[in-house]
Amino acid sequence: MSLDTTTTTTATTLAGNKNDRRLQEFILWCEQKGCELSKVHIKSIDAYKVETPKGHLALLDDDDDDDDETGGGEKEFDRRVYCRTADDDDDNNNSNTNVDAPTKTTMIKKGERILFVPFACCVGTQGLRVGTGGDSLPPFEQATSSERLAAELLRQRDLKEKSEFYPYINALPKVIDSPTCGTWTTEEIKEMQFADAIGTCAKTLARDSVNVEMHFKKEETTATRSCRNWTKKEWAWAMANARSRAVEIDADIGDVGNKEGRMPPSGAFVAPFIDMCNHTHVDPAAFWRPAYSEKKKKEIEGMNLKTTSQHEEAPSEQEQEKNKPDGVELVARRDLEPGDEITVSYAVADSDTFLLFGGFVTESRNPRDTVELWRTLPESATWLSEKLVDAGSSEQNAMAIPLEYSKGVAYAIVEQRRQHILEAMGQNKADVNKFDWDKSGLDESIRAGWNFARDEAHHAMFSFIVQNVMQPDNDNDQLYRQVLIGRITELLQSLPTSMEEDVQIMEQCVSLLDNNDNNNNNDNETRLKALRLKTVCRYRGQKKAILHQWLNFLAKDEMPRDLTAIKNQVKAKEATSSAADELAAML
């Protein structure tokens, strides 16, 4: 299906600049592809001017004569989705061509459908029932789902107007200004201050760079059929869009037909229009799920009625496959008034993920945020041996915990935990040392979060060491609190700025940005630097708030919580006893 050129021409006449035209063409394309958008309205908010990847505009834009989009950059727009209002019905920039559109706006009740996007509109990866990408080869071996999706976005972009998905590709952000997009300086990345986030950023940038060098910098004659010699900036653009906009798949979208030579139904896809809704950690307005279009609902209802009336046999497996959901819908989580913004939760993830790959940090607290106290259990054992001494009788000499002993306990607990993971995966726990744990993605760091939950492996290690090395008259709970207080205090003192200083820096950034706007200052570089610094200050400030909350919590002689015991005390007690016996045997 191709875009109706007559409709597109009309939209171009109505719109006054590139952004308006792109948005209008995108909305018309969505409606022609079967999207149900009569209850919603999308708006563009002028955000900032950005430098676009070299060659990107040349591939997508035929005219560069807009006064507001010259000078080697382009205005970036923050697009948001709202419940339609009466005023929106008269807005030429979002005219609705759906003949079934309501003549007046109404409240959207909790549980009602807000909008629907067919899978045929979606761009995805191999093995998925999507409009494009389901049959595409990976760009290289062992490519992640994000990398496969990025390659498909670039393939469609390279086709320009020949692509059925051109209006959607053209509506995507030209730049997603995140630390992993490739345009941040080393100094700007270091402003995040927390080592694990900086390390993840460095690894991501290195992987992207290596992929370009190894797989895309080839002569046209030797390039693979599944990709061409894309540049580093082009790949960065595609990866940023894939990482920040991809939707987690449901099994119902998988292609369960002929799987010969195909990947299993797992991967990533982007759902146009839905991916333009803003994220919130707490109380999002809507959630998404696989669903049927109104047309397919009627078809299935008719088939079911026919089967019932004629007493026919139940549909075959092949017929059931054809009757699977044909798209994605947004459903209201609460009653929504006209003009309310439609927000969703992108993923169950911490602020590191949203900053590194989406380039934003919300003002509201993310309940999933944590701070790394130690990178590994053996690292925490080393710290324990170096920092903690026996606090027993003053008549005895202070006795440090032997380093080799504490690390031995730590490695034993790590091995035990990994064996349990292998068993849960249905593998032989005896292969624990053969498994490539570095590539498993397993996070074995010791972290502190908003829920004041302790790391059970770390607490088990500490308890075992104290019981076998320290003096028997010690208050073990008090010692454990001292360990955590000492480590958290050490981390806060090692950071370049305090929370108070971060607040002052943020205020300076806001003042600079306001002055820039009021004086019509077009110093784009200064504005971008201020925006980035403001974002990372909010990020690191929220991280430091967690550490300060822990200090306040521990100062009240509170013990970090055993969440497992809270959820199931009996089961947790049995597991702890069994684990202690097994650990003692291993040592």
Side-chain angles (χ1 to χ4, degrees):
M1 176 180 177
S2 60
L3 185 66
D4 187 330
T5 55
T6 303
T7 307
T8 304
T9 303
T10 303
T12 305
T13 303
L14 290 172
N17 57 52
K18 288 182 183 179
N19 179 64
D20 292 337
R21 291 198 299 272
R22 289 173 185 155
L23 189 58
Q24 180 70 7
E25 290 168 0
F26 166 66
I27 294 170
L28 292 173
W29 174 81
C30 286
E31 292 171 344
Q32 291 176 5
K33 295 282 284 184
C35 295
E36 300 169 15
L37 308 175
S38 62
K39 298 180 182 179
V40 295
H41 174 71
I42 190 168
K43 297 179 182 178
S44 290
I45 299 174
D46 189 354
Y48 49 86
K49 197 172 182 181
V50 295
E51 293 296 326
T52 54
K54 183 178 180 181
H56 184 73
L57 292 180
L59 286 170
L60 289 178
D61 298 326
D62 296 326
D63 58 319
D64 293 309
D65 55 355
D66 288 336
D67 293 336
D68 61 344
E69 299 187 70
T70 57
E74 172 154 327
K75 281 189 177 179
E76 191 59 30
F77 296 88
D78 179 14
R79 294 192 173 117
R80 301 179 184 181
V81 181
Y82 297 86
C83 295
R84 181 175 288 276
T85 66
D87 292 337
D88 297 331
D89 293 332
D90 298 326
D91 187 351
N92 285 335
N93 287 335
N94 195 19
S95 60
N96 198 312
T97 60
N98 190 339
V99 295
D100 296 325
T103 57
K104 62 179 181 179
T105 56
T106 58
M107 173 188 288
I108 300 176
K109 297 290 186 180
K110 178 181 178 180
E112 286 185 6
R113 172 181 288 184
I114 299 173
L115 63 86
F116 173 84
V117 176
F119 288 145
C121 272
C122 299
V123 181
T125 55
Q126 187 180 26
L128 303 184
R129 292 188 293 112
V130 289
T132 184
D135 296 318
S136 297
L137 296 173
F140 46 84
E141 291 184 3
Q142 297 182 339
T144 65
S145 58
S146 293
E147 289 162 346
R148 287 183 277 142
L149 180 58
E152 186 60 29
L153 290 174
L154 282 173
R155 293 186 195 107
Q156 297 302 316
R157 190 210 64 166
D158 290 346
L159 292 172
K160 297 189 285 186
E161 289 90 341
K162 294 179 181 179
S163 169
E164 182 181 346
F165 292 82
Y166 170 78
Y168 171 58
I169 301 298
N170 201 18
L172 289 174
K174 300 299 178 285
V175 170
I176 295 176
D177 192 45
S178 69
T180 58
C181 72
T183 61
W184 285 42
T185 65
T186 302
E187 289 71 24
E188 287 173 327
I189 292 173
K190 287 181 178 179
E191 288 290 349
M192 290 188 290
Q193 295 187 357
F194 287 85
D196 53 336
I198 295 172
T200 300
C201 183
K203 290 177 182 178
T204 301
L205 290 169
R207 178 181 174 88
D208 290 348
S209 179
V210 168
N211 284 337
V212 172
E213 294 292 331
M214 289 184 61
H215 305 295
F216 305 143
K217 281 197 171 182
K218 302 177 180 180
E219 296 295 332
E220 197 67 31
T221 54
T222 60
T224 64
R225 290 184 302 167
S226 60
C227 62
R228 70 167 184 84
N229 53 335
W230 293 313
T231 66
K232 184 179 292 187
K233 287 186 177 181
E234 288 172 326
W235 185 244
W237 169 81
M239 286 301 300
N241 275 283
R243 287 168 174 152
S244 63
R245 309 178 85 81
V247 175
E248 295 179 0
I249 69 161
D250 186 278
D252 282 333
I253 195 177
D255 186 343
V256 297
N258 180 15
K259 291 192 177 67
E260 184 177 355
R262 299 176 68 89
M263 296 184 66
S266 62
F269 73 97
V270 284
F273 216 99
I274 291 178
D275 65 354
M276 295 183 184
C277 295
N278 269 349
H279 166 85
T280 182
H281 302 306
V282 181
D283 193 26
F287 66 92
W288 75 271
R289 66 186 179 192
Y292 296 98
S293 62
E294 292 298 332
K295 179 181 178 181
K296 192 158 189 177
K297 278 183 183 179
K298 294 177 182 178
E299 291 177 356
I300 293 176
E301 289 173 358
M303 291 175 59
N304 292 339
L305 182 62
K306 180 180 178 181
T307 301
T308 303
S309 62
Q310 297 181 1
H311 303 287
E312 294 181 357
E313 296 181 359
S316 64
E317 184 176 341
Q318 187 176 6
E319 290 174 333
Q320 290 178 359
E321 173 62 25
K322 292 181 180 179
N323 292 337
K324 281 193 171 184
D326 58 341
V328 183
E329 69 175 356
L330 277 188
V331 180
R333 296 183 69 251
R334 59 176 185 273
D335 291 347
L336 299 173
E337 298 282 351
D340 285 352
E341 183 177 3
I342 307 298
T343 56
V344 296
S345 177
Y346 291 168
V348 179
D350 58 15
S351 294
D352 295 49
T353 301
F354 296 115
L355 171 61
L356 291 174
F357 305 118
F360 70 90
V361 179
T362 63
E363 293 184 15
S364 61
R365 188 179 78 179
N366 185 346
R368 298 173 184 86
D369 275 348
T370 59
V371 179
E372 181 183 272
L373 301 182
W374 292 279
R375 190 172 56 87
T376 64
L377 201 60
E379 182 182 287
S380 72
T382 301
W383 187 94
L384 197 63
S385 293
E386 293 175 350
K387 303 292 183 179
L388 187 66
V389 295
D390 184 13
S393 172
S394 59
E395 297 177 358
Q396 298 175 340
N397 294 327
M399 180 182 65
I401 300 173
L403 176 60
E404 293 304 318
Y405 181 84
S406 62
K407 291 182 70 174
V409 174
Y411 281 118
I413 292 177
V414 169
E415 182 175 345
Q416 180 190 95
R417 182 166 58 179
R418 289 178 174 180
Q419 287 176 343
H420 292 161
I421 292 173
L422 288 180
E423 285 184 317
M425 295 167 58
Q427 300 188 32
N428 189 348
K429 69 177 185 179
D431 296 334
V432 64
N433 294 322
K434 299 178 182 179
F435 192 82
D436 192 347
W437 294 100
D438 290 336
K439 294 183 179 180
S440 68
L442 177 64
D443 182 6
E444 296 183 302
S445 60
I446 292 87
R447 312 187 73 86
W450 289 110
N451 58 4
F452 303 113
R454 71 192 184 202
D455 184 283
E456 287 307 307
H458 183 256
H459 185 260
M461 179 195 74
F462 175 84
S463 299
F464 191 90
I465 291 174
V466 167
Q467 291 171 8
N468 290 274
V469 176
M470 306 294 283
Q471 294 297 320
D473 57 345
N474 282 321
D475 183 341
N476 293 343
D477 285 349
Q478 180 62 26
L479 276 176
Y480 191 63
R481 285 193 292 269
Q482 289 178 2
V483 167
L484 294 177
I485 290 173
R487 178 55 176 167
I488 291 171
T489 302
E490 181 181 69
L491 285 175
L492 286 170
Q493 292 175 347
S494 69
L495 297 172
T497 59
S498 65
M499 282 185 63
E500 294 75 17
E501 290 170 329
D502 288 340
V503 171
Q504 293 176 0
I505 295 172
M506 283 188 65
E507 291 174 347
Q508 293 171 3
C509 291
V510 171
S511 176
L512 187 150
L513 292 169
D514 289 343
N515 290 335
N516 189 290
D517 290 338
N518 295 333
N519 298 329
N520 294 320
N521 191 337
N522 293 321
D523 186 356
N524 184 50
E525 183 177 355
T526 300
R527 181 175 176 80
L528 273 180
K529 285 183 177 295
L531 282 169
R532 290 170 178 174
L533 185 56
K534 175 186 172 184
T535 301
V536 295
C537 277
R538 177 176 291 157
Y539 161 79
R540 70 198 193 200
Q542 292 177 359
K543 290 278 194 176
K544 293 169 189 176
I546 294 176
L547 297 178
H548 282 287
Q549 290 278 22
W550 267 78
L551 288 180
N552 294 335
F553 176 79
L554 295 169
K556 299 175 183 177
D557 289 338
E558 297 278 359
M559 271 298 289
R561 297 160 184 164
D562 180 356
L563 294 186
T564 304
I566 293 174
K567 293 178 181 178
N568 193 334
Q569 294 183 4
V570 175
K571 183 177 179 180
K573 183 177 180 180
E574 293 174 351
T576 302
S577 175
S578 174
D581 293 342
E582 186 176 348
L583 176 60
M586 292 177 69
L587 291 173

